[in-house]
Structures are given as C-alpha cells and as structure tokens.
Amino acid sequence: MSEFKARIITPVHVKESEITTEMVQRCYDYMAKIVVERGEVCLPLFKRLHDELESRRANDNLMNLAKKIAEKNKGVSDDTT
C-alpha cells in the first residue's frame, strides 16, 4: 500500500507578494513526493512549481548581482554628459 497519506489542509489566503521562495521550495519538495506516489497525473503541477522556483532563483541571483554592482559603483558620478 502507498505511504502517501492525504491530509486535510486549512486553506490559507496569501497575497502573491507574500509568497517567498522558501514557501515555493517546501511545496515543490512535497509535490515531488506526491508525484512519485501518484504518478504522471501530478506532473503538470510539479512542473509549474519547478518553473516558479527556477524563475524566483534567477530573479534572486539577478537582484544580488545588481546589488553588488551598485555597491561597487557607490560614489561614482551618475553624470554621463
């Protein structure tokens, strides 16, 4: 018999702006277990979480890069004329 046990989860209403990368990661990890247990029918949701996680990581990396560049150029004149 399957080890997967369905749980009743209380719906939580969260604004999109309040969803963190860590929250998406936890959902992604949990969904991976469901995919293994339930099969290919669950792959579309797993893919959506995968894509969202990749997008958030890429954005986090770009933001960190922008911060490094801004810090390196701190004090450099903005006047390009």
Side-chain angles (χ1 to χ4, degrees), residues 7-53:
R7 297 184 302 169
I8 296 175
I9 301 172
T10 304
V12 177
H13 299 285
V14 179
K15 294 178 186 172
E16 187 174 341
S17 62
E18 296 173 340
I19 298 173
T20 66
T21 302
E22 292 76 24
M23 292 166 78
V24 176
Q25 180 68 58
R26 284 196 310 268
C27 292
Y28 180 74
D29 294 345
Y30 188 71
M31 194 66 204
K33 294 175 187 177
I34 294 172
V35 169
V36 170
E37 291 292 327
R38 300 294 175 168
E40 200 170 303
V41 69
C42 299
L43 279 177
L45 183 53
F46 183 73
K47 182 182 182 330
R48 184 170 176 189
L49 287 166
H50 177 80
D51 293 345
E52 178 66 22
L53 193 56

Side-chain angles (χ1 to χ4, degrees), residues 56-75:
R56 285 173 175 269
R57 286 178 178 160
N59 286 343
D60 289 347
N61 289 340
L62 283 173
M63 182 58 79
N64 289 334
L65 178 61
K67 287 176 182 177
K68 286 179 185 176
I69 292 169
E71 183 63 31
K72 181 178 123 183
N73 293 312
K74 198 177 201 178

